[in-house]
């Protein structure tokens, strides 16, 4: 399912085939947690900004509107009118960051819904059944996302349990895929590596889960409080032990510079709420750095956000207009800003892939890493 | 500039030519008060939903971002990237409904900005200069919009002053149009009839302003507290005294049923914030009546909002998805709902025009007036 097209150092150019089409990697997944992109972007907008694969959340959709409802509507693709690939995050991270009153046992996790406080139990099997009901193309394993910092003892025990959960996930997903009325019989399970910032735990866990020969592997539990340096170190440590013929997904990361560094360290899939969130705050990406639309200096500027950008926003609207929309608190401000930022992320990945295709990724990274972090 | 194509009773089918193209009437103007449509609709969306003419507000744009800024950006059309006709409301209504601490004199009105409390003076000449800076295709006269109820004495004096202001508006707009650097040299002035609910004042004022031979006339000061019956009566009373060869605009009206009744009474232009506002509250128009998206019964409904509707929302999304978006408080809910409702209004006007073209308007009105008001 994963085909490696080119390599440059550890950076990889690949193709991942799913039941809803081929994903060109490295790829950024556009985040639609509740089956909708923030900033009022529709599925149609996603197509226009070059999104290859959308990411929704198992925890959120299980709570609302309910995975059985989505199943009855023909699955998530049909529900949100998106016929390209979808990855569903397992909700492990959300249960440990968003839900209240968690109680974790070998069997699973009991927690309170962040919406209405209702007590809910979720086992690895439940999580797989929910994702099978959603019918995503890639289902993420049910894991415990431990806080950083956490005591080594706790992390070790947690990793062992997450491994046992992964075996249960694999078995249940197999069972789900054999059901004649499965929503998406091509649904693929990705395992998630944990281990906080302890290299030996990360490695041991990665070796264990690699043996299960799953269609892909993620590095989870990062971007949750460690330094950027620690994050890069862990990617390097884990990457050596990840199967070379499977895609690697760095969960919840990150800035354009983080993505360049992730690609350089052998990562293929990324996702992050940052471009949409920054957009809503008026922070817009350009190929010269980040600009703040709330800044007075844009008030009379008839140029687009970025003169070199081909996105639907830059093709049509000026900085002056965008700044007006932000000051006037028009919802359109958020939509145009998010649309531009997501286009920018998708365009960044396209440029990374193009560079890899030409063997010029390292030059591209050297040229852009610093510029993209500028605040101008 | 106005060409009458067909008549059926008092209902009129016409064409109004502006500097940015021809408007087919009867027409509903889509409201973008602050140079943006509510619900995150872009100018591109407006084109897709069949909007012929956009309406922005002089008061709002003068306060923010400022008409001089918009002038420097090449005018409102360029600023908001909309090259079809634009009508700008004069701000008279807003000054009397939104701004604080009003002081009215023969010279003009002093008021406090609703944004920052700043004291501002606006004369009829100022209002024309501002609209000339915006470069709209139709500028509305600066008038006093009197409350209903108001004492007859006050209304009479106010009408006299509004008439004197209209003469000043006409003279100033002429002067503005002669400036070599005018943003839009084809800007047209519409007069506004006032007189609250006093038929003889309405008639007297209408006759006075008709003598000025302006490109169009509006009925203002309605939908501000009188009954629907009173409103229809006043339209009938005034309409007889409006020049037959000029377009008539009923300001701020209304429901689909109000529009049908307005057309039947000889009105050509309408505008209203209602379809966008109702959309944001989940109240959606269908050809069988209004549905409430918050209603539980839509939760599992895979049908579009209206199976007969060709709008971009009904072509792609289900009631089940829309209801989920409303419950999950996703901004996309508001956008899709507003898009559908505005499309519906534009489609309603198209059907009205088609019916007039075939001499079947009265049958159309009889068939739809009641249905469209249903809550189903």
């Amino acid at each position: 399912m994963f085909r490696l097209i080119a390599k440059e150092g550890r950076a990889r150019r690949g193709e991942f085939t799913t039941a809803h089409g081929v994903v060109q990697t490295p790829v950024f997944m556009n985040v639609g947690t509740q089956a909708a992109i923030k900033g009022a972007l529709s599925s149609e907008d996603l197509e226009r900004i070059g999104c290859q694969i959308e990411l929704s959340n198992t925890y959120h959709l299980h709570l609302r509107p309910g995975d059985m409802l989505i199943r009855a509507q023909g699955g998530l693709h049909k529900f949100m009118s998106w016929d390209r690939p979808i990855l569903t995050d397992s909700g492990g991270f959300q249960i440990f960051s968003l839900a209240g009153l968690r109680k974790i046992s070998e069997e699973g996790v009991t927690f309170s819904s962040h919406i209405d406080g209702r007590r809910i139990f979720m086992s690895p099997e439940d999580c797989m059944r929910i994702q099978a009901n959603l019918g995503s193309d890639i289902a993420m394993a049910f894991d415990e996302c431990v806080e950083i910092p956490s005591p080594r003892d706790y992390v070790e025990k947690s990793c062992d349990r997450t491994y046992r959960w992964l075996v249960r996930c694999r078995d249940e997903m197999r069972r789900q895929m054999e059901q004649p009325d499965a929503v998406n019989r091509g649904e693929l399970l990705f395992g998630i590596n944990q281990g906080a910032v302890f290299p030996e735990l990360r490695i041991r866990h990665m070796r264990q889960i690699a043996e299960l020969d799953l269609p892909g592997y993620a590095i989870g539990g990062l971007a949750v409080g460690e330094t950027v340096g620690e994050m890069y170190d862990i990617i390097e440590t884990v990457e050596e032990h990840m199967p070379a013929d499977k895609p690697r997904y760095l969960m919840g990361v990150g800035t354009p510079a983080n993505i360049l560094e992730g690609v350089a360290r052998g990562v293929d899939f990324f996702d992050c709420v940052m471009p949409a969130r920054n957009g809503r705050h008026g922070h817009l990406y350009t190929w010269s750095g980040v600009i703040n639309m709330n800044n007075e200096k844009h008030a009379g500027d008839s140029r687009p956000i970025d003169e070199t950008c081909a996105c639907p926003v830059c093709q049509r609207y000026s900085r002056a207009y965008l700044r007006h929309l932000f000051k006037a608190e028009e919802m359109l401000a958020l939509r145009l800003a998010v649309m531009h930022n997501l286009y920018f992320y998708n365009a960044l990945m396209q440029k990374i892939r193009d560079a890899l295709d030409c063997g010029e990724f390292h030059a591209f990274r050297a040229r852009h890493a610093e510029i993209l972090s500028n605040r101008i």
Side-chain angles (χ1 to χ4, degrees), chain A residues 205-233:
Chain A
H205 188 247
M206 188 61 237
R207 284 183 175 162
Q208 284 182 314
I209 66 177
E211 278 171 24
L212 298 178
D213 195 27
L214 298 173
Y217 289 96
I219 306 178
L222 289 184
V224 295
E226 80 288 0
T227 66
V228 174
E230 283 177 315
M231 177 173 82
Y232 292 157
D233 285 349

PDB file of all heavy atoms in Angstrom, chain A residues 205-233:
ATOM      1  N   HIS A 205       9.032   0.122  22.667  1.00  0.00           N
ATOM      2  CA  HIS A 205       7.638   0.119  22.223  1.00  0.00           C
ATOM      3  C   HIS A 205       7.542   0.084  20.699  1.00  0.00           C
ATOM      4  O   HIS A 205       6.730  -0.658  20.126  1.00  0.00           O
ATOM      5  CB  HIS A 205       6.918   1.346  22.790  1.00  0.00           C
ATOM      6  CG  HIS A 205       5.437   1.331  22.561  1.00  0.00           C
ATOM      7  ND1 HIS A 205       4.804   2.229  21.733  1.00  0.00           N
ATOM      8  CD2 HIS A 205       4.469   0.498  23.022  1.00  0.00           C
ATOM      9  CE1 HIS A 205       3.505   1.958  21.725  1.00  0.00           C
ATOM     10  NE2 HIS A 205       3.276   0.922  22.498  1.00  0.00           N
ATOM     11  N   MET A 206       8.401   0.851  20.040  1.00  0.00           N
ATOM     12  CA  MET A 206       8.359   0.888  18.564  1.00  0.00           C
ATOM     13  C   MET A 206       8.667  -0.496  18.003  1.00  0.00           C
ATOM     14  O   MET A 206       7.986  -0.954  17.069  1.00  0.00           O
ATOM     15  CB  MET A 206       9.359   1.927  18.048  1.00  0.00           C
ATOM     16  CG  MET A 206       9.255   2.189  16.543  1.00  0.00           C
ATOM     17  SD  MET A 206       7.630   2.832  16.044  1.00  0.00           S
ATOM     18  CE  MET A 206       7.141   1.591  14.829  1.00  0.00           C
ATOM     19  N   ARG A 207       9.686  -1.172  18.568  1.00  0.00           N
ATOM     20  CA  ARG A 207      10.029  -2.521  18.075  1.00  0.00           C
ATOM     21  C   ARG A 207       8.873  -3.497  18.270  1.00  0.00           C
ATOM     22  O   ARG A 207       8.561  -4.291  17.374  1.00  0.00           O
ATOM     23  CB  ARG A 207      11.255  -3.034  18.820  1.00  0.00           C
ATOM     24  CG  ARG A 207      12.538  -2.386  18.333  1.00  0.00           C
ATOM     25  CD  ARG A 207      13.717  -2.996  19.061  1.00  0.00           C
ATOM     26  NE  ARG A 207      14.976  -2.498  18.554  1.00  0.00           N
ATOM     27  CZ  ARG A 207      16.132  -2.592  19.213  1.00  0.00           C
ATOM     28  NH1 ARG A 207      16.157  -3.180  20.409  1.00  0.00           N
ATOM     29  NH2 ARG A 207      17.237  -2.108  18.688  1.00  0.00           N
ATOM     30  N   GLN A 208       8.223  -3.386  19.442  1.00  0.00           N
ATOM     31  CA  GLN A 208       7.075  -4.269  19.709  1.00  0.00           C
ATOM     32  C   GLN A 208       5.977  -4.079  18.666  1.00  0.00           C
ATOM     33  O   GLN A 208       5.483  -5.044  18.081  1.00  0.00           O
ATOM     34  CB  GLN A 208       6.481  -3.960  21.087  1.00  0.00           C
ATOM     35  CG  GLN A 208       7.268  -4.481  22.273  1.00  0.00           C
ATOM     36  CD  GLN A 208       6.543  -4.147  23.579  1.00  0.00           C
ATOM     37  OE1 GLN A 208       6.090  -3.009  23.755  1.00  0.00           O
ATOM     38  NE2 GLN A 208       6.446  -5.118  24.472  1.00  0.00           N
ATOM     39  N   ILE A 209       5.599  -2.824  18.475  1.00  0.00           N
ATOM     40  CA  ILE A 209       4.433  -2.592  17.592  1.00  0.00           C
ATOM     41  C   ILE A 209       4.792  -2.856  16.128  1.00  0.00           C
ATOM     42  O   ILE A 209       3.938  -3.255  15.337  1.00  0.00           O
ATOM     43  CB  ILE A 209       3.797  -1.191  17.796  1.00  0.00           C
ATOM     44  CG1 ILE A 209       4.721  -0.053  17.386  1.00  0.00           C
ATOM     45  CG2 ILE A 209       3.340  -1.014  19.250  1.00  0.00           C
ATOM     46  CD1 ILE A 209       4.084   1.340  17.501  1.00  0.00           C
ATOM     47  N   ALA A 210       6.078  -2.670  15.773  1.00  0.00           N
ATOM     48  CA  ALA A 210       6.498  -2.932  14.387  1.00  0.00           C
ATOM     49  C   ALA A 210       6.265  -4.398  14.035  1.00  0.00           C
ATOM     50  O   ALA A 210       5.936  -4.725  12.892  1.00  0.00           O
ATOM     51  CB  ALA A 210       7.966  -2.560  14.195  1.00  0.00           C
ATOM     52  N   GLU A 211       6.429  -5.253  15.029  1.00  0.00           N
ATOM     53  CA  GLU A 211       6.256  -6.688  14.767  1.00  0.00           C
ATOM     54  C   GLU A 211       4.831  -7.054  14.360  1.00  0.00           C
ATOM     55  O   GLU A 211       4.607  -8.117  13.780  1.00  0.00           O
ATOM     56  CB  GLU A 211       6.653  -7.488  16.018  1.00  0.00           C
ATOM     57  CG  GLU A 211       8.154  -7.689  16.101  1.00  0.00           C
ATOM     58  CD  GLU A 211       8.582  -8.279  17.442  1.00  0.00           C
ATOM     59  OE1 GLU A 211       7.728  -8.928  18.092  1.00  0.00           O
ATOM     60  OE2 GLU A 211       9.738  -8.064  17.832  1.00  0.00           O
ATOM     61  N   LEU A 212       3.882  -6.191  14.677  1.00  0.00           N
ATOM     62  CA  LEU A 212       2.488  -6.500  14.333  1.00  0.00           C
ATOM     63  C   LEU A 212       2.213  -6.281  12.846  1.00  0.00           C
ATOM     64  O   LEU A 212       1.126  -6.582  12.351  1.00  0.00           O
ATOM     65  CB  LEU A 212       1.525  -5.672  15.188  1.00  0.00           C
ATOM     66  CG  LEU A 212       1.599  -5.929  16.698  1.00  0.00           C
ATOM     67  CD1 LEU A 212       0.632  -5.017  17.445  1.00  0.00           C
ATOM     68  CD2 LEU A 212       1.304  -7.392  17.031  1.00  0.00           C
ATOM     69  N   ASP A 213       3.195  -5.705  12.140  1.00  0.00           N
ATOM     70  CA  ASP A 213       3.110  -5.547  10.680  1.00  0.00           C
ATOM     71  C   ASP A 213       1.830  -4.820  10.244  1.00  0.00           C
ATOM     72  O   ASP A 213       1.093  -5.293   9.366  1.00  0.00           O
ATOM     73  CB  ASP A 213       3.197  -6.929  10.010  1.00  0.00           C
ATOM     74  CG  ASP A 213       3.475  -6.798   8.519  1.00  0.00           C
ATOM     75  OD1 ASP A 213       4.087  -5.785   8.111  1.00  0.00           O
ATOM     76  OD2 ASP A 213       3.035  -7.691   7.751  1.00  0.00           O
ATOM     77  N   LEU A 214       1.568  -3.666  10.862  1.00  0.00           N
ATOM     78  CA  LEU A 214       0.379  -2.872  10.529  1.00  0.00           C
ATOM     79  C   LEU A 214       0.644  -2.025   9.278  1.00  0.00           C
ATOM     80  O   LEU A 214       1.797  -1.853   8.877  1.00  0.00           O
ATOM     81  CB  LEU A 214       0.020  -1.985  11.719  1.00  0.00           C
ATOM     82  CG  LEU A 214      -0.341  -2.745  13.004  1.00  0.00           C
ATOM     83  CD1 LEU A 214      -0.509  -1.781  14.177  1.00  0.00           C
ATOM     84  CD2 LEU A 214      -1.614  -3.570  12.796  1.00  0.00           C
ATOM     85  N   PRO A 215      -0.411  -1.491   8.665  1.00  0.00           N
ATOM     86  CA  PRO A 215      -0.226  -0.714   7.424  1.00  0.00           C
ATOM     87  C   PRO A 215       0.519   0.607   7.606  1.00  0.00           C
ATOM     88  O   PRO A 215       0.963   1.203   6.629  1.00  0.00           O
ATOM     89  CB  PRO A 215      -1.661  -0.454   6.950  1.00  0.00           C
ATOM     90  CG  PRO A 215      -2.493  -1.481   7.635  1.00  0.00           C
ATOM     91  CD  PRO A 215      -1.836  -1.727   8.959  1.00  0.00           C
ATOM     92  N   GLY A 216       0.645   1.097   8.857  1.00  0.00           N
ATOM     93  CA  GLY A 216       1.367   2.353   9.078  1.00  0.00           C
ATOM     94  C   GLY A 216       1.587   2.570  10.555  1.00  0.00           C
ATOM     95  O   GLY A 216       0.963   1.909  11.396  1.00  0.00           O
ATOM     96  N   TYR A 217       2.490   3.501  10.875  1.00  0.00           N
ATOM     97  CA  TYR A 217       2.826   3.775  12.274  1.00  0.00           C
ATOM     98  C   TYR A 217       2.923   5.272  12.537  1.00  0.00           C
ATOM     99  O   TYR A 217       3.438   6.022  11.701  1.00  0.00           O
ATOM    100  CB  TYR A 217       4.148   3.097  12.637  1.00  0.00           C
ATOM    101  CG  TYR A 217       3.984   1.597  12.704  1.00  0.00           C
ATOM    102  CD1 TYR A 217       4.304   0.793  11.604  1.00  0.00           C
ATOM    103  CD2 TYR A 217       3.461   0.995  13.843  1.00  0.00           C
ATOM    104  CE1 TYR A 217       4.115  -0.580  11.644  1.00  0.00           C
ATOM    105  CE2 TYR A 217       3.267  -0.383  13.892  1.00  0.00           C
ATOM    106  CZ  TYR A 217       3.596  -1.162  12.804  1.00  0.00           C
ATOM    107  OH  TYR A 217       3.397  -2.522  12.844  1.00  0.00           O
ATOM    108  N   ALA A 218       2.439   5.646  13.705  1.00  0.00           N
ATOM    109  CA  ALA A 218       2.490   7.052  14.093  1.00  0.00           C
ATOM    110  C   ALA A 218       3.396   7.230  15.301  1.00  0.00           C
ATOM    111  O   ALA A 218       3.573   6.307  16.097  1.00  0.00           O
ATOM    112  CB  ALA A 218       1.092   7.548  14.424  1.00  0.00           C
ATOM    113  N   ILE A 219       3.966   8.410  15.420  1.00  0.00           N
ATOM    114  CA  ILE A 219       4.648   8.800  16.653  1.00  0.00           C
ATOM    115  C   ILE A 219       3.678   9.713  17.384  1.00  0.00           C
ATOM    116  O   ILE A 219       3.345  10.796  16.900  1.00  0.00           O
ATOM    117  CB  ILE A 219       5.977   9.528  16.367  1.00  0.00           C
ATOM    118  CG1 ILE A 219       6.859   8.677  15.445  1.00  0.00           C
ATOM    119  CG2 ILE A 219       6.697   9.846  17.677  1.00  0.00           C
ATOM    120  CD1 ILE A 219       8.190   9.340  15.071  1.00  0.00           C
ATOM    121  N   GLY A 220       3.191   9.215  18.521  1.00  0.00           N
ATOM    122  CA  GLY A 220       2.217   9.983  19.292  1.00  0.00           C
ATOM    123  C   GLY A 220       2.854  10.577  20.529  1.00  0.00           C
ATOM    124  O   GLY A 220       4.045  10.370  20.797  1.00  0.00           O
ATOM    125  N   GLY A 221       2.060  11.318  21.277  1.00  0.00           N
ATOM    126  CA  GLY A 221       2.519  11.828  22.566  1.00  0.00           C
ATOM    127  C   GLY A 221       3.593  12.893  22.464  1.00  0.00           C
ATOM    128  O   GLY A 221       4.293  13.169  23.437  1.00  0.00           O
ATOM    129  N   LEU A 222       3.721  13.511  21.285  1.00  0.00           N
ATOM    130  CA  LEU A 222       4.672  14.630  21.167  1.00  0.00           C
ATOM    131  C   LEU A 222       3.892  15.932  20.988  1.00  0.00           C
ATOM    132  O   LEU A 222       2.681  15.934  20.839  1.00  0.00           O
ATOM    133  CB  LEU A 222       5.637  14.393  19.999  1.00  0.00           C
ATOM    134  CG  LEU A 222       6.660  13.264  20.235  1.00  0.00           C
ATOM    135  CD1 LEU A 222       7.620  13.165  19.068  1.00  0.00           C
ATOM    136  CD2 LEU A 222       7.445  13.491  21.533  1.00  0.00           C
ATOM    137  N   ALA A 223       4.638  17.030  21.007  1.00  0.00           N
ATOM    138  CA  ALA A 223       4.026  18.364  20.951  1.00  0.00           C
ATOM    139  C   ALA A 223       3.034  18.527  22.096  1.00  0.00           C
ATOM    140  O   ALA A 223       1.974  19.128  21.942  1.00  0.00           O
ATOM    141  CB  ALA A 223       3.362  18.610  19.585  1.00  0.00           C
ATOM    142  N   VAL A 224       3.355  17.951  23.245  1.00  0.00           N
ATOM    143  CA  VAL A 224       2.482  18.072  24.419  1.00  0.00           C
ATOM    144  C   VAL A 224       3.236  18.643  25.628  1.00  0.00           C
ATOM    145  O   VAL A 224       2.860  18.399  26.766  1.00  0.00           O
ATOM    146  CB  VAL A 224       1.857  16.709  24.820  1.00  0.00           C
ATOM    147  CG1 VAL A 224       0.925  16.212  23.739  1.00  0.00           C
ATOM    148  CG2 VAL A 224       2.932  15.673  25.127  1.00  0.00           C
ATOM    149  N   GLY A 225       4.333  19.378  25.376  1.00  0.00           N
ATOM    150  CA  GLY A 225       5.003  19.996  26.515  1.00  0.00           C
ATOM    151  C   GLY A 225       6.518  19.861  26.496  1.00  0.00           C
ATOM    152  O   GLY A 225       7.214  20.586  27.202  1.00  0.00           O
ATOM    153  N   GLU A 226       7.036  18.935  25.677  1.00  0.00           N
ATOM    154  CA  GLU A 226       8.490  18.807  25.575  1.00  0.00           C
ATOM    155  C   GLU A 226       9.053  19.955  24.729  1.00  0.00           C
ATOM    156  O   GLU A 226       8.302  20.654  24.059  1.00  0.00           O
ATOM    157  CB  GLU A 226       8.856  17.440  24.959  1.00  0.00           C
ATOM    158  CG  GLU A 226       8.742  17.345  23.436  1.00  0.00           C
ATOM    159  CD  GLU A 226       7.311  17.317  22.901  1.00  0.00           C
ATOM    160  OE1 GLU A 226       6.356  17.379  23.707  1.00  0.00           O
ATOM    161  OE2 GLU A 226       7.145  17.277  21.675  1.00  0.00           O
ATOM    162  N   THR A 227      10.378  20.138  24.746  1.00  0.00           N
ATOM    163  CA  THR A 227      10.972  21.182  23.901  1.00  0.00           C
ATOM    164  C   THR A 227      11.016  20.682  22.457  1.00  0.00           C
ATOM    165  O   THR A 227      10.895  19.476  22.190  1.00  0.00           O
ATOM    166  CB  THR A 227      12.414  21.500  24.339  1.00  0.00           C
ATOM    167  OG1 THR A 227      13.232  20.346  24.094  1.00  0.00           O
ATOM    168  CG2 THR A 227      12.485  21.869  25.821  1.00  0.00           C
ATOM    169  N   VAL A 228      11.206  21.638  21.528  1.00  0.00           N
ATOM    170  CA  VAL A 228      11.297  21.258  20.115  1.00  0.00           C
ATOM    171  C   VAL A 228      12.512  20.361  19.904  1.00  0.00           C
ATOM    172  O   VAL A 228      12.453  19.377  19.145  1.00  0.00           O
ATOM    173  CB  VAL A 228      11.388  22.523  19.224  1.00  0.00           C
ATOM    174  CG1 VAL A 228      11.622  22.143  17.769  1.00  0.00           C
ATOM    175  CG2 VAL A 228      10.110  23.329  19.344  1.00  0.00           C
ATOM    176  N   GLY A 229      13.596  20.668  20.607  1.00  0.00           N
ATOM    177  CA  GLY A 229      14.803  19.844  20.504  1.00  0.00           C
ATOM    178  C   GLY A 229      14.527  18.408  20.947  1.00  0.00           C
ATOM    179  O   GLY A 229      14.917  17.452  20.262  1.00  0.00           O
ATOM    180  N   GLU A 230      13.846  18.251  22.085  1.00  0.00           N
ATOM    181  CA  GLU A 230      13.477  16.907  22.560  1.00  0.00           C
ATOM    182  C   GLU A 230      12.623  16.186  21.524  1.00  0.00           C
ATOM    183  O   GLU A 230      12.801  14.994  21.266  1.00  0.00           O
ATOM    184  CB  GLU A 230      12.694  17.007  23.881  1.00  0.00           C
ATOM    185  CG  GLU A 230      13.563  17.293  25.099  1.00  0.00           C
ATOM    186  CD  GLU A 230      12.747  17.469  26.395  1.00  0.00           C
ATOM    187  OE1 GLU A 230      11.701  18.181  26.354  1.00  0.00           O
ATOM    188  OE2 GLU A 230      13.147  16.936  27.426  1.00  0.00           O
ATOM    189  N   MET A 231      11.687  16.935  20.923  1.00  0.00           N
ATOM    190  CA  MET A 231      10.805  16.324  19.926  1.00  0.00           C
ATOM    191  C   MET A 231      11.630  15.804  18.741  1.00  0.00           C
ATOM    192  O   MET A 231      11.461  14.654  18.312  1.00  0.00           O
ATOM    193  CB  MET A 231       9.773  17.341  19.435  1.00  0.00           C
ATOM    194  CG  MET A 231       8.867  16.807  18.331  1.00  0.00           C
ATOM    195  SD  MET A 231       7.536  17.954  17.912  1.00  0.00           S
ATOM    196  CE  MET A 231       8.375  19.077  16.789  1.00  0.00           C
ATOM    197  N   TYR A 232      12.531  16.640  18.228  1.00  0.00           N
ATOM    198  CA  TYR A 232      13.350  16.203  17.090  1.00  0.00           C
ATOM    199  C   TYR A 232      14.201  14.993  17.486  1.00  0.00           C
ATOM    200  O   TYR A 232      14.347  14.037  16.709  1.00  0.00           O
ATOM    201  CB  TYR A 232      14.248  17.340  16.591  1.00  0.00           C
ATOM    202  CG  TYR A 232      13.491  18.502  15.948  1.00  0.00           C
ATOM    203  CD1 TYR A 232      14.068  19.774  15.888  1.00  0.00           C
ATOM    204  CD2 TYR A 232      12.229  18.331  15.385  1.00  0.00           C
ATOM    205  CE1 TYR A 232      13.403  20.839  15.306  1.00  0.00           C
ATOM    206  CE2 TYR A 232      11.554  19.390  14.803  1.00  0.00           C
ATOM    207  CZ  TYR A 232      12.139  20.647  14.760  1.00  0.00           C
ATOM    208  OH  TYR A 232      11.481  21.706  14.180  1.00  0.00           O
ATOM    209  N   ASP A 233      14.748  15.008  18.698  1.00  0.00           N
ATOM    210  CA  ASP A 233      15.570  13.879  19.157  1.00  0.00           C
ATOM    211  C   ASP A 233      14.759  12.590  19.171  1.00  0.00           C
ATOM    212  O   ASP A 233      15.242  11.529  18.752  1.00  0.00           O
ATOM    213  CB  ASP A 233      16.106  14.152  20.576  1.00  0.00           C
ATOM    214  CG  ASP A 233      17.242  15.183  20.557  1.00  0.00           C
ATOM    215  OD1 ASP A 233      17.740  15.510  19.448  1.00  0.00           O
ATOM    216  OD2 ASP A 233      17.603  15.680  21.644  1.00  0.00           O
TER     217      ASP A 233
END
